[in-house]
Amino acid sequence: MTTPALPVEPWCLREQGEHGEYLGQLESLFALSNGHLGLRGNLDEGEPAAQHGTYLAGFFEEHPLPYAEAGYGYPESGQTIVNVTNGKLIRLLVDDEPFDMRYGEVVSHERVLDLRAGTLRRVTEWISPAGRRIIVRSTRMVSFTHRAVAAIDYEVEPVDGRTRIIVQSMLVANEEPPDHPGDDPRVAAALRDPLVPIAQDVEQDGVVLLHRTRASELTMGAGMDHDIECPNQYEVEHEAREDWARTSVVTVLEAGQTLRVVKHLAYGWSATRSLHAVRDQVAAALTSARYAGWDTLLRDQRQYLDDFWSVADVEVEGDPILQQAIRFSLFELLQAGARTEGRAIGAKGLTGTGYDGHTFWDIEGFVMPVLIMTAPEAAAHALRWRASTLPLARARARTLGLKGATFPWRTIRGEETSAYWPAGTAAFHVNADIVRAFEAYRFVTGDDSLERECGAEVHIETARLWMSLGHHDRDGVWHIQGVTGPDEYTAVIDCNVFTNLMAALNLRVADNACGRHPEVAAAHGVTEDERAAWRTAADAVHVPYDETLGVHPQCEQFTTYAEWDFDSGTQYPLMLHAPYFQLYRTQVIKQADLVLALHWRGRMFTPEEKARNLDYYERRTVRDSSLSATTQAVVCAEVGHLDLAHAYLHETALVDLRDLQGNTSQGLHIASLAGTWSALVDGFGGLRDHNSRPQVSPALPDSVRRLSFRILWHGTPIKVEATHETVTCTLLGEDGELDVRIYDEDVTVRTGHPVIRPMRERVPLLPAPTQPPGRAPRPAGRLPRTIPAEK
């Protein structure tokens, strides 16, 4: 499956013409969100639709997780995101005939996702089956500045004569869920009419509906009101029932006249507050939106994004496809995380129901580094949410017979909800991934208040987990056994290199945090002996190495496993065509694992080791996970395989724009979108931290003439620009200075005084490696495009 070939433009996504067969993908691509509230990119009229979607961060329903053979410590209930009350629905009748793009004639149709304005604009010219021609214009937004608010500006204009127009603005709860073959029937049952109606309030200009979920017992409210502009007389009527509400506007327009309805939407939910409090919260948000008015909401949205792009923009000259993709990616990351404020960021953001709306370690691992350097307040919100689930993580550790805290592999509220026990139980690296994100926030922002507030406690409890997992052998070497690393095709193994190195990092971070915050350490009973034990374990961690091959085994004895037989008609993804038993016992890798260690723990490897390890694992990595290409791009760039890195970069950048995984209709791949930034900035920009200062070591492929990226470091915006001749570091904004390392030289960059150095060639130590059959990355020119863009 692919998406339609959207025109390549630097600041927008544009759909030209009808692409009904791609509705699901386009609904995800055109979704709007602010991290709290998300609206899928459904057509205003609601039909046709592949999957209706209105989501609130953290709002979910529970369902049972029965097992044919239960085991102690298995999670007992699952959580899945709920499609809440749909407020974006506006039906239109033209002389009593429903406006539906499947009928009559669509003369023209265009939708534009504007990455600078933060809006979805739509213009459609349509001739009804009875011959009436109209133009429909709409602009939709989910406000970044008003957390609970969305708004729609909807206009109808007859083209060829006097026409009766009826606009029905709707709130609809318990919409029919999509029927996806193979979905878990327990999830389907939980999502069939998940909202129990509680109350309906009809207001002067709209309606508020209140519902509660059946099992999770969360209360939510959705409200709408309207501003109406019409050159002629019109009538308005409000109706409300348990699961729907309708505001109808009827008028008669002459050709060229316009009926304009501005619809304000507000949402709120709570697990603890009263029904009346939730209702009042929604009503207050509506009042605030109407007080601001459409023009102010639009202006504030643009200003918010102007501020974001001023410190986050990435420019790529010579590759227009990549230019569009990186800005789309950054916009989607902002949409996913800007206003979460106490809730998790899901792996799909709020763009669809893929992965049941769960958050994974992908968010701390791939998304947090980008948000920390471009929108640190959003990153702080996400990290605070994770810390707020520490009591549940402690309980999970006790269930598993461990000390400290173990965070879940997948969740919405904080409980482990994965029935796949090799990951849900044994993927302990999640804990160190979270600690790495907290530590990145501290050294990038220069602010240790978040660590003092909640991060240090996370560090302490996860350090205690590692000490109860690991042990010293008779020679004093520290081992961690029976774990699953990032590669889910090699599960429940001993001394996974990535896990061991991340655990050592976790222990050192915890020790250092206790030194910075002795009062926190004392409050949690940390002794000097305990800190010494952390340091001893970190220093003695076992890192397997195969002397014969000159590479690091992904885990103990991995290089002695049988090779996968790629000559016997291998079909991808392997997990759908081969039993896990066969995957577990062979040298075949779902996603970067040892190679991820080369990126995240790069200082632990020499350049020669990185080159040899990459060469070895490239030939065995099948990339059945969308996360893998990101890491492979970064490490390929670091060791000098720039063209291969560029191909991997295109793959991660276009995973949704070209639907490379075939499931974009279920929501965007937020971590892969973050990987676009990482592949460009960490890969070709060579960005690393060096003693609490940024280090850049750029190298560009021939096809990229210029790369420029902006980040925030200690609150100071800095711009790094690389061409094939020079590297330039420039401070932005007010007077200031920042210490930066360019390649191996320490420099001080001051406002108004850019530092310029010559570009250094990056020479590979080994020839470019090969990949498994059928798994070589495809450059953009060979990625699928099925519908030519209109000129």
Side-chain angles (χ1 to χ4, degrees):
M1 182 65 69
T2 62
T3 53
L6 306 179
V8 177
E9 301 179 53
W11 283 105
C12 71
L13 291 189
R14 186 184 306 271
E15 176 196 19
Q16 296 174 311
E18 296 180 85
H19 299 121
E21 66 272 40
Y22 297 103
L23 269 178
Q25 295 95 313
L26 291 169
E27 287 168 0
S28 296
L29 292 172
F30 288 145
L32 294 176
S33 171
N34 62 10
H36 169 68
L37 166 65
L39 309 180
R40 267 177 76 81
N42 304 110
L43 295 169
D44 298 297
E45 299 77 32
E47 297 178 12
Q51 178 179 320
H52 296 287
T54 303
Y55 312 110
L56 294 171
F59 193 85
F60 69 95
E61 182 60 307
E62 293 179 335
H63 57 84
L65 287 176
Y67 301 89
E69 296 184 16
Y72 180 79
Y74 283 16
E76 295 181 356
S77 63
Q79 301 167 355
T80 189
I81 194 170
V82 171
N83 174 28
V84 300
T85 307
N86 182 2
K88 59 185 179 293
L89 181 60
I90 300 178
R91 302 198 192 279
L92 170 64
L93 291 94
V94 180
D95 283 347
D96 298 327
E97 202 154 24
F99 171 52
D100 188 321
M101 293 178 60
R102 294 169 295 187
Y103 308 108
E105 179 187 349
V106 176
V107 179
S108 63
H109 172 70
E110 179 177 88
R111 289 194 292 173
V112 178
L113 177 66
D114 190 322
L115 307 178
R116 287 181 289 193
T119 58
L120 177 63
R121 301 192 307 272
R122 178 264 191 100
V123 179
T124 302
E125 185 169 356
W126 179 76
I127 301 175
S128 74
R132 286 295 186 188
R133 183 186 291 253
I134 62 164
I135 297 174
V136 176
R137 304 179 188 89
S138 70
T139 303
R140 180 187 303 175
M141 64 176 293
V142 175
S143 175
F144 285 115
T145 57
H146 294 246
R147 180 173 183 254
V149 168
I152 303 168
D153 183 351
Y154 191 86
E155 297 182 356
V156 185
E157 176 191 341
V159 173
D160 56 0
R162 185 179 178 86
T163 307
R164 184 170 65 256
I165 299 296
I166 302 173
V167 170
Q168 296 175 321
S169 177
M170 308 289 297
L171 293 175
V172 179
N174 290 317
E175 294 174 297
E176 189 72 16
D179 182 18
H180 296 297
D183 271 4
D184 188 332
R186 298 181 297 270
V187 176
L191 293 182
R192 193 158 300 278
D193 296 335
L195 299 175
V196 178
I198 304 298
Q200 308 84 39
D201 290 342
V202 177
E203 309 289 346
Q204 181 177 356
D205 296 296
V207 179
V208 174
L209 297 183
L210 296 164
H211 287 82
R212 181 176 293 127
T213 52
R214 297 180 186 278
S216 58
E217 297 185 342
L218 306 179
T219 301
M220 68 144 299
M224 64 177 180
D225 65 15
H226 307 83
D227 292 325
I228 301 168
E229 296 179 9
C230 183
N232 303 328
Q233 181 180 351
Y234 64 89
E235 295 292 333
V236 181
E237 181 179 81
H238 305 291
E239 301 173 82
R241 302 291 185 272
E242 287 187 339
D243 277 346
W244 62 266
R246 180 170 60 216
T247 292
S248 300
V249 182
V250 58
T251 189
V252 175
L253 299 177
E254 303 292 343
Q257 292 184 322
T258 299
L259 169 65
R260 182 189 184 205
V261 178
V262 175
K263 181 177 187 178
H264 300 290
L265 292 167
Y267 289 83
W269 75 269
S270 177
T272 57
R273 299 176 71 215
S274 69
L275 174 72
H276 301 297
V278 172
R279 179 198 61 200
D280 293 345
Q281 175 189 353
V282 172
L286 283 174
T287 300
S288 176
R290 290 200 68 189
Y291 174 77
W294 172 259
D295 291 340
T296 298
L297 288 174
L298 207 62
R299 184 175 63 250
D300 289 350
Q301 187 86 337
R302 178 60 185 251
Q303 184 61 58
Y304 186 98
L305 283 163
D306 284 347
D307 292 343
F308 171 72
W309 291 117
S310 71
V311 297
D313 191 23
V314 176
E315 299 171 83
V316 184
E317 289 186 8
D319 192 331
I321 292 173
L322 193 55
Q323 178 66 84
Q324 181 187 51
I326 181 56
R327 285 184 174 140
F328 173 73
S329 298
L330 282 165
F331 179 75
E332 293 299 335
L333 293 177
L334 186 68
Q335 288 205 129
R339 301 301 302 273
T340 55
E341 297 171 19
R343 309 297 175 194
I345 298 175
K348 297 289 188 181
L350 295 174
T351 65
T353 57
Y355 301 124
D356 292 326
H358 292 169
T359 188
F360 292 75
W361 66 279
D362 314 1
I363 300 302
E364 280 85 8
F366 294 87
V367 175
M368 283 300 102
V370 187
L371 291 181
I372 287 167
M373 294 193 192
T374 59
E377 288 187 8
H381 288 316
L383 293 170
R384 286 191 182 95
W385 169 80
R386 185 63 88 169
S388 75
T389 68
L390 192 55
L392 295 171
R394 287 194 183 101
R396 178 65 175 161
R398 290 195 297 270
T399 297
L400 298 176
L402 299 168
K403 296 178 181 178
T406 179
F407 288 95
W409 185 57
R410 62 185 297 170
T411 189
I412 292 179
R413 187 169 57 187
E415 301 92 340
E416 179 60 71
T417 61
S418 173
Y420 177 59
W421 70 268
T425 300
F428 291 104
H429 69 85
V430 172
N431 301 281
D433 304 335
I434 293 167
V435 168
R436 170 179 173 264
F438 270 100
E439 180 70 350
Y441 180 88
R442 184 187 67 82
F443 68 70
V444 170
T445 64
D447 174 15
D448 69 354
S449 63
L450 184 65
E451 181 179 75
R452 183 172 55 253
E453 172 192 334
C454 59
E457 186 179 5
V458 171
H459 301 338
I460 290 166
E461 294 301 303
T462 49
R464 287 169 170 165
L465 168 74
W466 290 116
M467 295 304 292
S468 66
L469 274 171
H471 73 280
H472 293 276
D473 66 18
R474 61 178 176 268
D475 297 319
V477 180
W478 195 63
H479 301 264
I480 307 174
Q481 296 171 314
V483 300
T484 301
D487 173 29
E488 294 150 32
Y489 288 174
T490 313
V492 195
I493 37 80
D494 297 337
C495 287
N496 171 250
V497 170
F498 175 85
T499 300
N500 283 15
L501 290 177
M502 291 296 292
L505 173 68
N506 193 157
L507 293 168
R508 291 191 178 100
V509 168
D511 177 48
N512 293 333
C514 288
R516 285 188 294 271
H517 309 289
E519 73 287 356
V520 177
H524 294 282
V526 179
T527 65
E528 285 303 317
D529 287 345
E530 185 174 21
R531 289 179 62 188
W534 295 346
R535 293 191 296 269
T536 299
D539 291 341
V541 68
H542 180 46
V543 181
Y545 187 73
D546 188 321
E547 296 284 355
T548 302
L549 295 174
V551 300
H552 291 83
Q554 182 170 290
C555 60
E556 199 74 78
Q557 301 299 316
F558 181 81
T559 52
T560 68
Y561 289 9
E563 298 282 1
W564 184 265
D565 182 7
F566 286 107
D567 296 326
S568 60
T570 297
Q571 293 180 280
Y572 303 105
L574 293 182
M575 58 192 172
L576 299 183
H577 298 95
Y580 268 98
F581 165 72
Q582 295 292 358
L583 301 174
Y584 288 167
R585 59 199 292 268
T586 54
Q587 292 188 60
V588 65
I589 302 166
K590 179 180 181 182
Q591 66 194 76
D593 188 307
L594 189 286
V595 175
L596 185 59
L598 302 181
H599 179 199
W600 289 8
R601 303 291 290 125
R603 294 179 186 173
M604 308 305 295
F605 303 89
T606 67
E608 292 76 14
E609 288 172 339
K610 291 179 181 179
R612 290 197 302 270
N613 279 317
L614 178 72
D615 185 77
Y616 188 86
Y617 287 100
E618 273 288 291
R619 305 167 195 276
R620 294 161 176 82
T621 302
V622 295
R623 293 198 320 289
D624 284 345
S625 165
S626 61
L627 290 178
S628 195
T630 291
T631 304
Q632 290 170 271
V634 172
V635 179
C636 283
E638 183 173 356
V639 303
H641 303 312
L642 298 175
D643 290 337
L644 181 57
H646 192 215
Y648 277 131
L649 170 56
H650 269 270
E651 188 170 298
T652 195
L654 300 176
V655 66
D656 289 314
L657 290 174
R658 302 285 180 84
D659 196 14
L660 301 184
Q661 296 284 321
N663 57 7
T664 295
S665 61
Q666 298 303 300
L668 303 179
H669 297 75
I670 300 300
S672 293
L673 294 171
T676 307
W677 184 93
S678 184
L680 274 168
V681 175
D682 293 354
F684 293 143
L687 178 66
R688 302 289 187 274
D689 69 282
H690 181 80
N691 297 329
S692 295
R693 70 180 63 185
Q695 177 181 12
V696 293
S697 304
L700 302 180
D702 291 341
S703 51
V704 174
R705 295 191 301 271
R706 172 180 166 271
L707 170 66
S708 170
F709 61 89
R710 304 174 184 211
I711 60 170
L712 285 167
W713 198 280
H714 287 204
T716 299
I718 183 170
K719 177 181 177 181
V720 179
E721 183 177 13
T723 68
H724 287 277
E725 291 76 37
T726 60
V727 177
T728 305
C729 292
T730 306
L731 282 197
L732 307 175
E734 299 178 359
D735 289 346
E737 65 179 37
L738 185 68
D739 292 332
V740 177
R741 189 174 180 87
I742 303 177
Y743 297 109
D744 55 4
E745 178 188 1
D746 293 326
V747 302
T748 299
V749 186
R750 296 180 175 85
T751 302
H753 300 279
V755 175
I756 304 174
R757 294 292 184 268
M759 169 72 78
R760 295 186 186 180
E761 184 180 4
R762 193 172 295 174
V763 180
L765 299 177
L766 296 173
T770 59
Q771 293 74 40
R775 277 322 204 209
R778 294 172 290 177
R782 291 168 49 210
L783 291 172
R785 287 180 87 98
T786 57
I787 299 178
E790 294 182 7
K791 300 254 184 185

